[in-house]
Amino acid sequence: MTTAAVWAAVPLIGGLGAVLRFVVDRTVSKRTGAAFPYGTLVVNISGALLLGFVAGLALPTHLALLAGTAFVGSYTTFSTWMLETHRLGEERQLGPAVANIGVSLVLGLAAAACGLWLGTRL
């Protein structure tokens, strides 16, 4: 059963995840200065690592909800990833668009597996 405290914590923790996503994305994007969406890539790969780690910890249901769904769910961004990939395609940058999909999938799965492995070791 979900308590009122959990319901109250979801938007707060989700808000933290969203703010951190913004900060990480902007920091990486400013440093690279490239047309390729490195900021979103870093956010999503680090989010996959974190979610794998949380899953490996086998947390109680309420903590898993807060860490996985509220924080990591708002930190990572599928919609921005697809929007930026679409933008690359519209700009006829097909190589970078395909690379964005492939690299994100491969590194995301590897990061999640690594996070899971680390989480199960604690």
Side-chain angles (χ1 to χ4, degrees), residues 81 97-107:
W81 173 50
V98 170
N100 193 32
I101 293 170
V103 168
S104 293
L105 290 174
V106 170
L107 291 182

Side-chain angles (χ1 to χ4, degrees), residues 8-74:
V10 168
L12 296 174
I13 293 171
L16 290 173
V19 168
L20 184 59
R21 172 182 60 198
F22 179 79
V23 169
V24 170
D25 182 21
R26 292 294 165 228
T27 301
V28 171
S29 295
K30 282 182 182 178
R31 291 186 184 204
T32 62
F36 189 84
Y38 287 108
T40 301
L41 180 66
V42 168
V43 163
N44 286 340
I45 301 309
S46 61
L49 177 72
L50 183 57
L51 188 58
F53 181 74
V54 167
L57 292 176
L59 296 171
T61 304
H62 294 118
L63 290 178
L65 171 71
L66 293 174
T69 304
F71 184 78
V72 179
S74 64

